[in-house]
Amino acid sequence: MAYEVNGKTIEIDKNGYLLNVDDWNEEVAKVIAAQEGIEELTQRHWDVINYLRDEYLNNAGKQPNMRNIVKVMQNTWDDKQVNAKSLYELFPKSPDKEGSKVAGLPESRRKGGY
């Protein structure tokens, strides 16, 4: 399985996650998002995507759970009304998992909890 982006083949696993995080760029994100049914990536999408990538790439492979994403986005957007529902409006299948997929990160192996 693979995504085709600007004439380049991007290899993915059986669930649609990139096999190589270095294959990711904004064009790849747009293709993955479209595949997931997300028609347009807004600034709020990019804020979540960039946060997830930063945590994974610069924090020893950390993949934040929903609770952490909500807290960070409340501060990023200076909006204390941000909650899980707000994030599900951006990534309907699961903000942490679908967001990570669009961000070009591996599938989370986290097992719930905090």
Side-chain angles (χ1 to χ4, degrees):
M1 298 176 67
Y3 296 120
E4 290 294 325
V5 182
N6 297 328
K8 183 177 178 185
T9 301
I10 308 294
E11 296 297 321
I12 59 175
D13 69 13
K14 64 183 170 116
N15 295 322
Y17 289 83
L18 298 188
L19 293 179
N20 182 354
V21 296
D22 294 328
D23 286 339
W24 185 89
N25 61 42
E26 288 188 6
E27 290 303 313
V28 172
K30 290 174 186 176
V31 169
I32 297 169
Q35 189 77 23
E36 292 293 305
I38 301 169
E39 295 179 23
E40 178 187 1
L41 292 174
T42 66
Q43 184 58 51
R44 286 193 171 206
H45 286 97
W46 288 114
D47 290 342
V48 173
I49 290 165
N50 290 329
Y51 167 66
L52 293 171
R53 284 190 62 80
D54 182 60
E55 284 296 297
Y56 184 82
L57 297 172
N58 299 316
N59 201 358
K62 181 179 176 188
Q63 291 182 293
N65 64 17
M66 179 65 85
R67 184 180 203 177
N68 290 329
I69 297 169
V70 168
K71 284 182 182 180
V72 170
M73 291 305 114
Q74 285 175 337
N75 292 329
T76 300
W77 299 331
D78 195 27
D79 182 353
K80 300 305 175 202
Q81 300 303 313
V82 172
N83 56 29
K85 182 180 178 187
S86 307
L87 295 175
Y88 271 96
E89 290 171 0
L90 298 173
F91 297 101
K93 294 178 185 170
S94 177
D96 54 343
K97 294 183 186 336
E98 187 175 37
S100 291
K101 182 186 277 188
V102 175
L105 302 174
E107 187 170 8
S108 174
R109 300 293 180 214
R110 189 173 12 82
K111 300 254 195 246
Y114 296 98

